[in-house]
Amino acid sequence: MRPRTREAIARVRKAGVHVILATGRMFRAVLPYALQAALDEPVVCYQGAVVAEPQSGKWLRHVPIPLDLAREAIRALHDEGFGMNCYVNDELYVAEITPEARQYADFQDIELHAVGDVLSWLREPPTKLVVIDDPVVLDGLEERMKARFDGRMYISKSLPYFLEFAAPGVTKAAGLHFLAQHLGFARERTVAFGDGENDIELVEWGGYGVAVENAHDRVKAVADLVCPSVDEEGVAQVLEAYLAGGFDET
């Protein structure tokens, strides 16, 4: 998180605006960013399956995948020849530590736990499952898994090479809706920023949806505004415009 963005966040918070991080990442992976930005309000993580307080570590909301459904998904992925990351109690478990698993863990600066056969090992509902592979390969897998589970699971890409599985009804929008009720802010007065496919529901939920220029086309299609890219710190530019009175929040 660059200085300009941190400063813009600090200024809007000083003006009395809630600033909420909403991410597909696990709680422990997003926590450093929340603390770096001095955010003490709850974060929405795990695609909305978890809402947690950065300072205390307390989980306010947790909607894991029902155990039988998780096992069905793992079996289906095994049948297709795919392994996966399995998240339980904010820890990451894999069958074996492969180069791909190591790259993912290093990307998020988290520890890996190898457990062998994940299907046999799993004894409690996981928060989410993630398959890592080539984006084109995952496009096909996503289509097949959505057809197979027919709405019984939330299935979406976060980054092009991450296909994520969560409980039915879990989205970043659902997590933010919970938090809106918890903190007492209105959907109609919420500006939601996004870039990945897993941000579509979030951008649609906000009273004003913003996609960064480098966002997925489906996110841009539902946004009210497309701002400059991440590299240009587009989110900071929108926050600065709001503070300067040049942003039409209606």
Side-chain angles (χ1 to χ4, degrees):
M1 194 174 291
R2 301 176 191 171
R4 180 179 181 180
T5 298
R6 292 202 305 269
E7 181 181 355
I9 288 173
R11 289 176 59 202
V12 294
R13 291 192 71 224
K14 188 175 181 179
V17 178
H18 294 289
V19 177
I20 307 298
L21 295 183
T23 178
R25 296 190 186 203
M26 57 197 304
F27 176 59
R28 68 172 56 214
V30 73
L31 185 57
Y33 297 96
L35 297 178
Q36 183 185 44
L39 295 175
D40 54 8
E41 295 184 294
V43 296
V44 176
C45 44
Y46 284 108
Q47 308 297 1
V50 171
V51 176
E53 296 176 340
Q55 304 296 333
S56 68
K58 179 182 178 182
W59 287 23
L60 305 176
R61 164 186 164 97
H62 183 209
V63 185
I65 305 171
L67 184 56
D68 287 347
L69 183 59
R71 286 175 170 163
E72 182 183 350
I74 292 170
R75 192 174 294 110
L77 292 169
H78 281 171
D79 289 346
E80 291 245 12
F82 292 94
M84 81 294 298
N85 292 351
C86 183
Y87 299 79
V88 178
N89 296 325
D90 211 32
E91 298 284 351
L92 171 55
Y93 297 92
V94 294
E96 59 180 340
I97 300 178
T98 63
E100 293 78 13
R102 171 56 58 196
Q103 182 180 19
Y104 177 89
D106 290 346
F107 168 68
Q108 302 216 33
D109 194 25
I110 51 181
E111 184 179 1
L112 279 171
H113 303 281
V115 297
D117 183 357
V118 175
L119 189 59
S120 299
W121 166 83
L122 189 64
R123 289 290 182 271
E124 56 184 298
T127 305
K128 74 170 182 175
L129 306 170
V130 177
V131 177
I132 306 168
D133 213 306
D134 176 81
V136 175
V137 171
L138 290 183
D139 285 343
L141 180 63
E142 180 178 10
E143 184 177 346
R144 295 191 299 276
M145 290 296 103
K146 283 183 174 179
R148 176 165 182 161
F149 287 94
D150 191 26
R152 292 189 296 130
M153 297 188 77
Y154 172 75
I155 303 173
S156 180
K157 282 186 176 181
S158 51
L159 295 175
Y161 36 87
F162 298 157
L163 183 62
E164 313 220 357
F165 297 74
V170 163
T171 63
K172 292 182 183 180
L176 191 59
H177 177 72
F178 167 86
L179 199 47
Q181 294 179 316
H182 179 74
L183 294 179
F185 60 85
R187 173 180 183 177
E188 295 76 16
R189 294 185 59 80
T190 299
V191 180
F193 297 86
D195 65 344
E197 284 185 80
N198 59 331
D199 291 320
I200 292 171
E201 297 87 355
L202 175 71
V203 171
E204 287 183 319
W205 185 89
Y208 196 89
V210 182
V212 290
E213 178 57 45
N214 58 302
H216 192 282
D217 286 343
R218 291 178 61 199
V219 182
K220 291 181 182 179
V222 300
D224 299 294
L225 172 72
V226 176
C227 71
S229 71
V230 170
D231 290 338
E232 298 175 90
E233 296 191 79
V235 173
Q237 291 191 43
V238 174
L239 297 182
E240 290 163 355
Y242 168 77
L243 290 165
F247 178 72
D248 182 3
E249 62 181 313
T250 63

